[in-house]
Amino acid sequence: MRMTFLRLVPLLILLSWPLDAAVAATGLQALTMTTASNGTQTYSLSIQALFLMTALTFLPAAMMMMTSFTRVIIVLAILRQAIGLMQAPSSQILIGLSLFLTFFIMAPVFTQINTRALQPYLNNKMSLQDAALSAAVPLRKFMFNQTRESDIKMFGEMAGHDAFKSKDDVPFTVLVPSFVTSELKTAFQIGFLLFIPFLIIDLVVASVLMSMGMVMLSPMIISLPFKIMLFVMVDGWSLVMGTLASSFYM
């Protein structure tokens, strides 16, 4: 799965980047060799390869903004805050967990991109531009399924577009911010629901301590073990991961 994703990197970048017809026709020639009249040879890096290497810097942003990564990492961060653990699990663990859960959720989309675009392009059955357009179809479908129409309408009006007649008329410049906004809303809604049971435990512990006159003792110290025990007893990690994975509409 990881190797398949790495092979999809060029196509994922080209989805949100305009393609030049000449580049699509000739391909990306990484190294150019020139032979002088005296027999010496000089090598130079082509502009197309330099452009592709520069575009690779946008890969982390595309990974976060065009996949399920945003929702997953926000929910896990809110969950850690709700339990009351500041450093456990660490941020590195949360990011790694979110990354591989994103691979799991996006596996059907990546499989379609590999079948429809990457393999035909590697077998010289499709041009680079056509491969990028074919790869955009399953990715756009995934993003549209998670995006609220109100967000698309808002960003479309801000960009000066009239009402879109179909989903094909929505450009990536409107779809991506609409998708991210919808993901933020959904992530905070899930985080709110996760926060409620832990908040109830904090309120109960604080009320008990107040009634006992132990006002100098921090309720967080007493409630933390109970919240951890509750989360473990209900198999919280499996519930959270399963809920996150099933919350996406393919």
Side-chain angles (χ1 to χ4, degrees), residues 99-163:
L99 187 62
F100 281 97
L101 187 59
T102 299
F103 290 159
F104 173 79
I105 296 172
M106 300 295 297
V109 179
F110 291 154
T111 301
Q112 294 181 36
I113 294 176
N114 181 57
T115 303
R116 298 181 181 181
L118 182 60
Q119 293 303 322
Y121 172 72
L122 295 178
N123 296 327
N124 296 323
K125 297 180 179 180
M126 184 179 294
S127 65
L128 182 61
Q129 187 175 18
D130 292 338
L133 295 176
S134 299
V137 174
L139 186 60
R140 285 174 61 92
K141 180 181 178 181
F142 169 81
M143 297 173 67
F144 270 115
N145 289 338
Q146 323 306 323
T147 306
R148 295 173 174 82
E149 294 183 0
S150 58
D151 293 328
I152 296 179
K153 180 180 179 180
M154 178 188 68
F155 282 100
E157 292 176 351
M158 292 174 61
H161 296 283
D162 296 330

Side-chain angles (χ1 to χ4, degrees), residues 8-61:
L8 294 174
V9 167
L11 289 178
L12 290 176
I13 296 174
L14 291 173
L15 293 179
S16 55
W17 203 275
L19 291 175
D20 185 78
V23 174
T26 60
L28 298 178
Q29 185 178 359
L31 195 64
T32 302
M33 181 181 65
T34 304
T35 303
S37 58
N38 57 1
T40 59
Q41 295 178 339
T42 58
Y43 301 89
S44 61
L45 190 67
S46 65
I47 298 299
Q48 293 91 341
L50 184 61
F51 163 78
L52 181 59
M53 293 173 61
T54 304
L56 284 174
T57 59
F58 293 94
L59 179 61

Side-chain angles (χ1 to χ4, degrees), residues 218-240:
S218 174
M220 291 293 296
I221 299 177
I222 306 300
S223 63
L224 181 58
F226 291 99
K227 291 190 289 187
I228 295 177
M229 181 182 64
L230 173 66
F231 191 69
V232 173
M233 289 181 60
V234 300
D235 198 9
W237 286 113
S238 297
L239 290 175
V240 171

